[in-house]
Amino acid sequence: MFSRKLTRPIAVVATAIAVGGGAYGIFAATSSSGSGTASAATAKVIPFHRGQPGASKVVGQVPQGWSPGSGTIVTGTAANKAEAAAVAAYAGGTVNRVVLLSNGDYNVHLIGVNWPHHVFVNTDFKVIGAE
């Protein structure tokens, strides 16, 4: 029978293995090559550095009339496709929401990076711009 002295270290090791495996799975899923939806003109993600101002940059096309906070948060298959296109073009951030804009395009909102914060995806699920 196991002694109580061994129970805690075994639990700690098991937890570390589970967390490490989960982190590897997430990394592998988000860093795999995409389906070619990103254009050659897209730029790299600029990492987030606490206490430093964010980069201000626009690449490609920002939907006309778009303003932060506009649109409707969506989920489901279309949102998943928009998220996949955005992550394929700009890997490195974390998607916290997908917003359907009034013109039918999607705004994929990234956090954890200075730039891009908004990735715009059209109705064909191709990245058209970033801000």
Side-chain angles (χ1 to χ4, degrees), residues 72-83 95-100 106-107 125:
T72 304
I73 295 175
V74 293
T75 59
T77 304
N80 293 341
K81 288 180 181 180
E83 179 179 340
V95 174
N96 81 331
R97 66 182 172 266
V98 177
V99 178
L100 178 63
Y106 296 91
N107 170 16
F125 303 105

Side-chain angles (χ1 to χ4, degrees), residues 46-49 51-57 113-115:
I46 299 172
F48 174 75
H49 298 288
Q52 294 182 0
S56 179
K57 181 177 172 180
V113 294
N114 280 346
W115 188 90

Side-chain angles (χ1 to χ4, degrees), residues 16-27:
I17 291 171
V19 169
Y24 174 76
I26 291 170
F27 174 76

Side-chain angles (χ1 to χ4, degrees), residues 33-124:
S33 63
S35 61
T37 59
S39 71
T42 58
K44 301 235 181 214
V45 167
I46 299 172
F48 174 75
H49 298 288
R50 187 176 296 239
Q52 294 182 0
S56 179
K57 181 177 172 180
V58 175
V59 170
Q61 174 187 348
V62 174
Q64 189 171 1
W66 173 80
S67 64
S70 63
T72 304
I73 295 175
V74 293
T75 59
T77 304
N80 293 341
K81 288 180 181 180
E83 179 179 340
V87 170
Y90 296 99
T94 301
V95 174
N96 81 331
R97 66 182 172 266
V98 177
V99 178
L100 178 63
L101 302 175
S102 60
N103 68 350
D105 292 339
Y106 296 91
N107 170 16
V108 180
H109 189 254
L110 297 176
I111 59 173
V113 294
N114 280 346
W115 188 90
H117 195 60
H118 303 278
V119 178
F120 301 99
V121 178
N122 67 12
T123 56
D124 295 326

